[in-house]
Amino acid sequence: MVSGMAADRPIKIAPSILSADFARLGEEVRAIDEAGCDYVHIDVMDGHFVPNITIGPGVVKALRPHSAKTFDTHLMVAPVDPFIAAFADAGSDIITVHAEAGPHLDRTLQLIRGLGKRAGVSLNPGTPVDAVAWVLDKIDLILVMSVNPGFGGQSFIESTPEKIRRLKSLVGDRDIEIEVDGGIEPGTARQVVEAGATVLVAGTSVFKSKTRPEYGAAMAALRGL
Ligand code: DX5
Ligand code: ZN
Protein backbone atom coordinates (compact mmCIF):
# COMPACT_ATOMS: atom_id res chain seq x y z
CA MET A 1 0.00 0.00 0.00
CA VAL A 2 1.51 3.32 -1.01
CA SER A 3 -0.76 5.93 0.64
CA GLY A 4 1.54 8.88 0.11
CA MET A 5 4.49 7.27 1.87
CA ALA A 6 7.59 5.46 0.63
CA ALA A 7 8.86 3.42 3.55
CA ASP A 8 9.89 6.15 6.01
CA ARG A 9 9.50 9.28 3.86
CA PRO A 10 6.37 11.19 2.83
CA ILE A 11 6.09 11.56 -0.95
CA LYS A 12 6.97 15.00 -2.26
CA ILE A 13 5.33 16.50 -5.34
CA ALA A 14 7.32 18.74 -7.67
CA PRO A 15 5.11 20.18 -10.41
CA SER A 16 7.13 21.03 -13.52
CA ILE A 17 6.35 24.57 -14.64
CA LEU A 18 7.35 23.53 -18.15
CA SER A 19 3.66 22.69 -18.58
CA ALA A 20 2.39 25.89 -16.93
CA ASP A 21 1.13 28.93 -18.81
CA PHE A 22 4.39 30.76 -19.59
CA ALA A 23 2.52 34.04 -20.04
CA ARG A 24 1.42 33.84 -16.36
CA LEU A 25 4.33 32.04 -14.73
CA GLY A 26 4.33 33.99 -11.47
CA GLU A 27 0.63 33.32 -10.94
CA GLU A 28 1.11 29.66 -11.84
CA VAL A 29 3.90 29.27 -9.26
CA ARG A 30 1.69 30.89 -6.61
CA ALA A 31 -1.14 28.56 -7.58
CA ILE A 32 0.86 25.34 -7.16
CA ASP A 33 2.34 26.69 -3.92
CA GLU A 34 -1.13 27.38 -2.51
CA ALA A 35 -2.34 24.00 -3.79
CA GLY A 36 0.29 22.26 -1.63
CA CYS A 37 3.27 21.41 -3.83
CA ASP A 38 6.50 20.53 -2.06
CA TYR A 39 9.00 21.67 -4.69
CA VAL A 40 8.71 23.90 -7.75
CA HIS A 41 10.45 21.97 -10.56
CA ILE A 42 12.14 24.26 -13.07
CA ASP A 43 13.26 22.68 -16.34
CA VAL A 44 16.19 24.50 -17.91
CA MET A 45 16.99 23.41 -21.48
CA ASP A 46 19.84 24.73 -23.58
CA GLY A 47 19.05 23.63 -27.15
CA HIS A 48 22.33 21.68 -27.16
CA PHE A 49 22.23 18.98 -24.48
CA VAL A 50 18.51 18.60 -25.25
CA PRO A 51 16.58 19.64 -28.37
CA ASN A 52 14.59 22.45 -26.76
CA ILE A 53 15.18 25.86 -25.13
CA THR A 54 13.26 27.00 -22.06
CA ILE A 55 14.10 29.05 -18.99
CA GLY A 56 17.19 31.04 -17.96
CA PRO A 57 18.37 32.36 -14.58
CA GLY A 58 16.57 35.68 -15.13
CA VAL A 59 13.22 33.90 -15.11
CA VAL A 60 14.14 31.93 -11.98
CA LYS A 61 15.05 35.19 -10.24
CA ALA A 62 11.77 36.78 -11.32
CA LEU A 63 9.80 33.81 -9.94
CA ARG A 64 11.61 33.70 -6.59
CA PRO A 65 9.38 36.27 -4.82
CA HIS A 66 6.27 34.31 -5.80
CA SER A 67 6.92 31.30 -3.54
CA ALA A 68 9.01 30.27 -0.55
CA LYS A 69 8.84 26.61 -1.61
CA THR A 70 12.01 24.77 -2.62
CA PHE A 71 13.10 25.70 -6.14
CA ASP A 72 14.19 22.43 -7.71
CA THR A 73 16.22 23.47 -10.74
CA HIS A 74 16.85 20.77 -13.33
CA LEU A 75 19.67 21.86 -15.61
CA MET A 76 19.59 20.11 -18.99
CA VAL A 77 22.66 22.06 -20.00
CA ALA A 78 26.13 21.05 -21.21
CA PRO A 79 28.70 22.20 -20.39
CA VAL A 80 26.95 23.16 -17.17
CA ASP A 81 29.65 24.51 -14.84
CA PRO A 82 29.64 28.07 -16.28
CA PHE A 83 25.91 28.46 -15.45
CA ILE A 84 25.73 27.08 -11.93
CA ALA A 85 26.56 30.30 -10.07
CA ALA A 86 23.88 32.20 -12.01
CA PHE A 87 21.17 29.69 -11.07
CA ALA A 88 22.38 29.68 -7.46
CA ASP A 89 22.24 33.49 -7.30
CA ALA A 90 18.79 33.45 -8.91
CA GLY A 91 17.42 31.57 -5.89
CA SER A 92 17.58 27.87 -6.72
CA ASP A 93 17.60 25.61 -3.66
CA ILE A 94 18.41 22.33 -5.39
CA ILE A 95 20.61 22.34 -8.49
CA THR A 96 20.52 19.13 -10.50
CA VAL A 97 22.92 18.42 -13.36
CA HIS A 98 23.03 15.48 -15.74
CA ALA A 99 25.76 12.90 -15.23
CA GLU A 100 26.95 13.65 -18.79
CA ALA A 101 26.84 17.45 -18.45
CA GLY A 102 30.56 17.95 -17.99
CA PRO A 103 33.80 16.05 -17.86
CA HIS A 104 34.19 16.28 -14.06
CA LEU A 105 30.97 15.42 -12.23
CA ASP A 106 32.66 15.34 -8.82
CA ARG A 107 33.98 18.88 -9.31
CA THR A 108 30.56 20.11 -10.49
CA LEU A 109 28.92 18.73 -7.35
CA GLN A 110 31.54 20.41 -5.16
CA LEU A 111 30.81 23.66 -6.97
CA ILE A 112 27.07 23.39 -6.23
CA ARG A 113 27.58 22.55 -2.56
CA GLY A 114 30.24 25.23 -2.27
CA LEU A 115 27.56 27.77 -3.20
CA GLY A 116 25.43 26.48 -0.31
CA LYS A 117 22.94 24.62 -2.51
CA ARG A 118 21.69 21.04 -2.48
CA ALA A 119 23.25 19.00 -5.28
CA GLY A 120 21.42 16.61 -7.59
CA VAL A 121 22.48 14.30 -10.42
CA SER A 122 20.09 13.26 -13.17
CA LEU A 123 20.29 9.94 -14.98
CA ASN A 124 19.00 9.75 -18.54
CA PRO A 125 17.05 6.59 -19.45
CA GLY A 126 20.20 5.12 -21.04
CA THR A 127 22.54 6.12 -18.20
CA PRO A 128 23.42 3.33 -15.74
CA VAL A 129 22.86 3.80 -12.00
CA ASP A 130 26.58 3.23 -11.50
CA ALA A 131 27.21 6.73 -12.92
CA VAL A 132 26.65 8.05 -9.37
CA ALA A 133 28.37 5.23 -7.46
CA TRP A 134 31.53 7.20 -6.63
CA VAL A 135 29.92 10.57 -5.88
CA LEU A 136 27.20 9.47 -3.46
CA ASP A 137 28.82 11.44 -0.63
CA LYS A 138 28.34 14.66 -2.62
CA ILE A 139 24.71 14.16 -3.67
CA ASP A 140 21.46 15.20 -1.96
CA LEU A 141 19.15 14.02 -4.73
CA ILE A 142 19.18 11.68 -7.74
CA LEU A 143 16.75 12.52 -10.56
CA VAL A 144 15.80 9.46 -12.59
CA MET A 145 14.51 10.41 -16.04
CA SER A 146 11.56 8.25 -17.02
CA VAL A 147 11.49 9.90 -20.47
CA ASN A 148 14.28 11.25 -22.65
CA PRO A 149 14.70 14.86 -21.56
CA GLY A 150 13.59 17.72 -23.78
CA PHE A 151 9.80 17.82 -23.76
CA GLY A 152 6.79 17.43 -21.52
CA GLY A 153 3.96 15.05 -22.32
CA GLN A 154 6.00 11.98 -23.29
CA SER A 155 5.25 8.36 -22.39
CA PHE A 156 6.74 6.81 -19.25
CA ILE A 157 9.56 4.34 -19.99
CA GLU A 158 8.51 1.01 -18.50
CA SER A 159 11.95 -0.08 -17.29
CA THR A 160 12.10 2.86 -14.84
CA PRO A 161 10.76 1.11 -11.70
CA GLU A 162 13.41 -1.62 -11.98
CA LYS A 163 16.09 1.05 -12.40
CA ILE A 164 14.82 2.82 -9.26
CA ARG A 165 15.01 -0.45 -7.32
CA ARG A 166 18.65 -0.87 -8.31
CA LEU A 167 19.39 2.75 -7.47
CA LYS A 168 17.73 2.44 -4.07
CA SER A 169 19.90 -0.55 -3.29
CA LEU A 170 23.00 1.43 -4.33
CA VAL A 171 21.98 4.42 -2.19
CA GLY A 172 21.33 2.27 0.89
CA ASP A 173 20.56 4.27 4.02
CA ARG A 174 22.22 7.50 2.82
CA ASP A 175 20.13 10.67 3.09
CA ILE A 176 19.54 11.02 -0.66
CA GLU A 177 16.18 11.71 -2.28
CA ILE A 178 15.18 9.69 -5.35
CA GLU A 179 13.14 11.85 -7.73
CA VAL A 180 11.47 10.69 -10.94
CA ASP A 181 10.70 12.88 -13.94
CA GLY A 182 8.58 12.22 -17.03
CA GLY A 183 5.19 10.69 -17.74
CA ILE A 184 4.15 10.68 -14.08
CA GLU A 185 0.39 10.30 -13.50
CA PRO A 186 -1.35 8.37 -10.70
CA GLY A 187 -0.66 4.93 -12.25
CA THR A 188 3.04 5.44 -12.93
CA ALA A 189 3.40 7.35 -9.64
CA ARG A 190 2.30 4.24 -7.76
CA GLN A 191 4.84 2.09 -9.62
CA VAL A 192 7.79 4.39 -8.95
CA VAL A 193 6.87 5.00 -5.31
CA GLU A 194 6.64 1.25 -4.74
CA ALA A 195 10.12 0.98 -6.29
CA GLY A 196 11.54 3.58 -3.88
CA ALA A 197 11.01 7.05 -5.38
CA THR A 198 10.39 9.82 -2.84
CA VAL A 199 9.88 12.89 -5.08
CA LEU A 200 7.56 12.95 -8.11
CA VAL A 201 7.96 15.51 -10.89
CA ALA A 202 4.76 16.07 -12.85
CA GLY A 203 4.12 18.56 -15.61
CA THR A 204 1.23 17.45 -17.78
CA SER A 205 -0.69 15.62 -15.07
CA VAL A 206 -0.75 18.67 -12.76
CA PHE A 207 -1.20 21.50 -15.27
CA LYS A 208 -3.43 19.78 -17.85
CA SER A 209 -6.62 21.17 -16.35
CA LYS A 210 -5.37 24.78 -16.67
CA THR A 211 -7.66 25.71 -13.81
CA ARG A 212 -6.18 26.49 -10.42
CA PRO A 213 -8.67 24.61 -8.23
CA GLU A 214 -7.74 21.33 -9.90
CA TYR A 215 -4.01 21.55 -9.21
CA GLY A 216 -4.46 20.40 -5.61
CA ALA A 217 -6.62 17.44 -6.62
CA ALA A 218 -4.08 16.40 -9.25
CA MET A 219 -1.31 16.46 -6.65
CA ALA A 220 -3.40 14.52 -4.14
CA ALA A 221 -4.01 11.85 -6.78
CA LEU A 222 -0.25 11.53 -7.32
CA ARG A 223 0.27 11.12 -3.57
CA GLY A 224 -2.20 8.24 -3.71
CA LEU A 225 -4.70 10.10 -1.54
C1 DX5 B 1 11.52 16.68 -19.46
C2 DX5 B 1 11.39 17.47 -18.19
C3 DX5 B 1 10.22 17.10 -17.36
C4 DX5 B 1 8.91 17.22 -18.02
C5 DX5 B 1 7.90 16.34 -17.35
O1 DX5 B 1 12.72 16.97 -20.08
O2 DX5 B 1 12.54 17.31 -17.40
O3 DX5 B 1 10.24 17.78 -16.11
O4 DX5 B 1 8.46 18.53 -18.06
O5 DX5 B 1 6.74 16.53 -18.03
P1 DX5 B 1 5.54 15.49 -18.02
O6 DX5 B 1 5.12 15.33 -16.61
O7 DX5 B 1 4.55 16.16 -18.89
O8 DX5 B 1 6.08 14.20 -18.60
ZN1 ZN C 1 12.69 18.04 -15.17
Side-chain angles (χ1 to χ4, degrees):
M1 188 56 198
V2 178
S3 294
M5 297 283 291
D8 49 350
R9 286 176 195 258
I11 298 305
K12 291 179 181 159
I13 306 294
S16 165
I17 59 169
L18 184 63
S19 297
D21 181 348
F22 272 23
R24 298 186 300 113
L25 264 190
E27 258 177 74
E28 293 275 67
V29 165
R30 288 202 303 279
I32 54 172
D33 177 324
E34 287 161 16
C37 76
D38 297 284
Y39 295 169
V40 176
H41 187 83
I42 303 171
D43 284 311
V44 176
M45 303 186 187
D46 68 348
H48 168 73
F49 183 68
V50 290
N52 198 359
I53 298 177
T54 55
I55 288 170
V59 176
V60 177
K61 189 172 185 181
L63 291 174
R64 189 66 276 189
H66 291 271
S67 173
K69 297 273 169 85
T70 296
F71 272 18
D72 173 28
T73 305
H74 176 191
L75 298 181
M76 287 160 272
V77 176
V80 72
D81 287 6
F83 298 97
I84 286 174
F87 283 98
D89 290 347
S92 301
D93 299 295
I94 301 169
I95 297 181
T96 295
V97 300
H98 276 255
E100 299 87 353
H104 306 293
L105 180 60
D106 185 286
R107 179 180 287 147
T108 302
L109 296 169
Q110 291 188 51
L111 175 60
I112 297 170
R113 283 205 171 161
L115 292 165
K117 305 299 179 180
R118 293 166 67 197
V121 175
S122 183
L123 303 175
N124 276 330
T127 304
V129 297
D130 277 354
V132 291
W134 294 99
V135 290
L136 289 171
D137 59 330
K138 299 185 178 75
I139 296 181
D140 301 289
L141 176 147
I142 300 168
L143 175 57
V144 178
M145 292 307 302
S146 38
V147 298
N148 286 290
F151 303 96
Q154 302 180 79
S155 298
F156 179 82
I157 293 174
E158 298 295 332
S159 56
T160 307
E162 177 57 22
K163 188 174 187 179
I164 293 168
R165 272 183 210 101
R166 293 190 193 187
L167 186 62
K168 190 173 159 62
S169 136
L170 179 69
V171 165
D173 58 8
R174 293 176 181 84
D175 188 17
I176 296 175
E177 295 193 295
I178 298 180
E179 181 175 40
V180 188
D181 188 356
I184 296 296
E185 37 75 26
T188 52
R190 166 171 287 270
Q191 292 179 46
V192 299
V193 168
E194 280 171 357
T198 54
V199 187
L200 304 177
V201 176
T204 308
S205 68
V206 168
F207 287 101
K208 67 182 172 200
S209 73
K210 298 288 175 204
T211 59
R212 286 176 64 147
E214 291 177 30
Y215 294 171
M219 286 189 251
L222 294 173
R223 291 184 206 275
L225 302 174

